[in-house]
Amino acid sequence: MKTTQELIYGLNDRPPLRETLFAALQHLLAIFVAIITPPLIISSALRFDLDTTAYLISMSLFVSGIATFIQCRRFGPIGAGLLCIQGTSFSFISPIIGAGMLGMAGGKMNTEMALSYIFGGCMVASVVEMAVSRLLPYTRKIITPLVSGIVVTLIGMCLIKAGINSCGGGQKAVDAGQFGSITNLGLAMLVLVSIIVFNRSNNKFLRMASIVLGLIIGCVAAYMLGMIDFSQLNGSQSLNIPTPFKYGVSLDPGTIIALGLIYLVTAVEAFGDITANSLISGEPVEGEVFMKRAQGGILADGFNSFLAGVFNSFPNSIFAQNNGMIQLTGVASRYVGYFIAGALFILGLFPVVGQVFSLIPDSVLGGATLLMFGTVAAAGIKIIATTKMNRKAILVMAISFSLGLSVELVPNILDKMPDIIKSIFSSGITTGGLAAIIANAMIRIKE
C-alpha cells in the first residue's frame, strides 16, 4: 500500500493537466460500466422502452457527476473531501425492481407509475443513511461486520438471479420464445471468458479495462449476428435537459422499508471505503478530522441518493474500485475528481450516449454482470471471514441465509400474506438483512 511518501500527488496537490486527464481517464474506465449497468438491468426487468432506458442511463451519468463533485469538493458538512467517486449502486437493484412491479396493471407495465414508486421510495429512504452519518458511532454497534457481510453476500446471491436471466436473453427473449438459446448463452459465455482472460493479464491496463473490453467483444459478436440495430438511434434529440420529478412521486411503505435497510448497510460500506481511501491518500484514519470526513462522506452518500431520485436516477454509493486506482496511479488529488465529475456530467447530457448503451443485448450484459454479482457475494464472504466464527455467528448466518434465500427461491410462500407484508419481505435482501440484525442483537450464547 502506498504511503504519503510514495504518492506522486497528495490530496490537495494540483497535478499538471496532462497527468490529471490521464488519471481521470483511468478512473472513468474503472467505473463507467458499473454506472450504466444498474439502469440497464432494471429497465430490462421492468420492460422499459429504448427511450426510457436511454434517459435513465443518461441521468445516472449526470447524477454521478454531481455526486462525485460533492464528495471531492465538500460543501459544509456534506462530502468527504477525498478523491471519492460515486456512481449508481448495485445493492438496490433487487428492491428497486420489486418497487417497479407496483406499476404493473392488467399485465402491462405503466412506466410512469413504476418509476414514481421507485424514485419516491429512494428519496424518502435516503433519510436513513443521512441519519446514520450523524449517529455513526452507535450504528456501527448494530451493523457489525457479521451483519454487513451477510447482507452484502445476500445482495450478490440475489443479483445472480438477475444476471443469469440476462444471460438467457432477458424478458425480450422470453416473449420471443428464445430464452436460453444457444446464441444468447454463447454470447454470455464469450463475454464472461473474455473478461476472465483480460483480468488474468499481467498488463495493468488490460486488467483495469477487462469489463469494458469484454463488453466490446460481445457487442461486436452480437452486431455480426444481427442483434444490434443502430437504425433505432435515428431522430434522437441533441441534448438531454434534466427534469426534476419527471415521472412524479409515489410512496409505498414496504418499498421504503426495504430500501431503508439497504441504505443502512450502504452507510457501513461507505465508512469502510472512506477509511481505505484516507489510508491510501496518507490522511488520518482516526481522530476528529477522520470522523468529520467519514460523517461528511456518508451524509453525502445519502444526500446524493436523494438528489438522484429528484433527477430520475437510482441511489448512488462510493465506488470501492477507485481506491485501488489511487494505489495504482499514486495520484490521490481530489482535483482529479473534478475532471471525472465534469466528464460524467457532460456525458449525461447527450441522449446518444444512453441510447448506444441501451442497444447492448441482455445476453452480452449478462456475461459481465454474472461475474460482477458473483464478486459482490465473494466480497460479503470476505467480510464475514473477518469475524470470529463461534456458535452465535454460525446461528445468525444460518437464520439469515435460510430466511433470505427462501423468499427468493419460493416467492409464492407469501401469497396469502397481507400486501404490506408481501411488499416488505418479498426481497431476500430485506428479509435476510432484518433477520441478521435482529438475530445478532437478540441471540446470547455462553461459550
Side-chain angles (χ1 to χ4, degrees):
M1 186 169 293
K2 290 185 182 290
T3 63
T4 311
Q5 290 74 27
E6 291 175 306
L7 286 172
I8 301 171
Y9 296 105
L11 181 64
N12 295 304
D13 293 335
R14 291 177 179 263
L17 181 61
R18 187 176 65 176
E19 294 180 39
T20 298
L21 291 174
F22 185 63
L25 178 62
Q26 291 182 81
H27 280 281
L28 282 169
L29 281 174
I31 63 171
F32 191 82
V33 173
I35 291 173
I36 67 169
T37 299
L40 281 171
I41 294 170
I42 292 165
S43 295
S44 174
L46 297 176
R47 309 185 195 184
F48 294 156
D49 59 37
L50 179 68
D51 288 339
T52 302
T53 303
Y55 184 76
L56 293 176
I57 291 171
S58 292
M59 289 303 98
S60 293
L61 293 167
F62 172 80
V63 170
S64 293
I66 296 175
T68 296
F69 183 72
I70 290 172
Q71 282 287 14
C72 296
R73 175 66 177 80
R74 187 178 173 93
F75 293 86
I78 304 177
L82 297 165
L83 180 51
C84 278
I85 314 302
Q86 282 214 230
T88 324
S89 174
F90 283 93
S91 302
F92 295 84
I93 291 175
S94 186
I96 281 175
I97 291 173
M101 294 306 293
L102 295 170
M104 186 70 77
K108 188 176 181 181
M109 176 58 69
N110 183 324
T111 300
E112 188 169 311
M113 183 186 295
L115 289 171
S116 73
Y117 275 112
I118 290 170
F119 297 137
C122 289
M123 284 189 286
V124 173
S126 68
V127 175
V128 172
E129 189 167 11
M130 290 188 260
V132 168
S133 73
R134 306 297 92 186
L135 304 168
L136 191 56
Y138 306 101
T139 51
R140 288 175 64 201
K141 295 177 182 178
I142 300 171
I143 309 297
T144 63
L146 176 64
V147 172
S148 59
I150 288 171
V151 175
V152 173
T153 304
L154 280 169
I155 289 170
M157 288 180 171
C158 294
L159 286 176
I160 285 172
K161 179 180 177 182
I164 198 66
N165 276 330
S166 293
C167 288
Q171 190 59 48
K172 291 178 183 177
V174 172
D175 296 340
Q178 294 296 314
F179 186 80
S181 68
I182 190 67
T183 302
N184 285 324
L185 293 181
L187 276 173
M189 183 60 68
L190 174 65
V191 174
L192 180 64
V193 172
S194 298
I195 293 172
I196 293 171
V197 170
F198 287 122
N199 207 263
R200 291 180 65 250
S201 172
N202 292 325
N203 186 306
K204 61 185 179 183
F205 297 106
L206 288 179
R207 288 204 308 275
M208 283 190 302
S210 59
I211 294 175
V212 175
L213 292 171
L215 285 174
I216 290 172
I217 290 172
C219 286
V220 169
Y223 178 74
M224 294 173 67
L225 291 169
M227 297 175 67
I228 297 179
D229 180 12
F230 287 109
S231 66
Q232 296 180 62
L233 299 177
N234 293 338
S236 63
Q237 68 270 32
S238 59
L239 203 64
N240 262 330
I241 306 300
T243 308
F245 308 111
K246 179 177 181 178
Y247 300 98
V249 175
S250 301
L251 301 178
D252 172 66
T255 296
I256 294 169
I257 293 171
L259 291 167
L261 176 65
I262 309 299
Y263 276 117
L264 191 63
V265 176
T266 300
V268 179
E269 289 182 347
F271 178 82
D273 292 333
I274 292 165
T275 304
N277 194 310
S278 297
L279 187 63
I280 294 165
S281 303
E283 296 295 308
V285 290
E286 55 186 6
E288 187 178 348
V289 172
F290 169 71
M291 190 51 66
K292 282 184 177 179
R293 284 196 193 283
Q295 290 185 310
I298 295 170
L299 178 59
D301 223 44
F303 175 78
N304 290 334
S305 291
F306 179 87
L307 203 62
V310 171
F311 285 103
N312 316 294
S313 185
F314 306 114
N316 268 231
S317 64
I318 297 171
F319 279 175
Q321 57 262 50
N322 294 92
N323 292 336
M325 204 59 62
I326 294 171
Q327 277 187 287
L328 189 68
T329 62
V331 178
S333 170
R334 61 196 177 100
Y335 296 102
V336 172
Y338 299 168
F339 285 81
I340 298 168
L344 292 170
F345 182 92
I346 292 169
L347 285 169
L349 295 178
F350 291 95
V352 68
V353 175
Q355 290 203 348
V356 166
F357 286 100
S358 300
L359 296 177
I360 298 176
D362 283 342
S363 52
V364 171
L365 189 66
T369 56
L370 192 64
L371 188 62
M372 293 161 73
F373 297 155
T375 304
V376 172
I381 294 170
K382 187 177 179 180
I383 296 170
I384 293 172
T386 63
T387 65
K388 185 180 178 182
M389 282 294 103
N390 53 23
R391 286 167 57 205
K392 175 182 174 177
I394 291 171
L395 193 55
V396 170
M397 288 170 60
I399 293 169
S400 307
F401 286 133
S402 59
L403 291 178
L405 293 176
S406 63
V407 296
E408 284 290 332
L409 296 172
V410 190
N412 58 356
I413 192 70
L414 299 174
D415 282 355
K416 303 298 182 184
M417 293 292 106
D419 288 342
I420 183 67
I421 298 296
K422 284 196 288 185
S423 181
I424 294 171
F425 294 103
S426 60
S427 165
I429 301 168
T430 309
T431 304
L434 288 173
I437 292 171
I438 295 170
N440 191 55
M442 302 292 291
I443 293 175
R444 297 284 184 272
I445 295 178
K446 291 183 179 180
E447 294 291 341

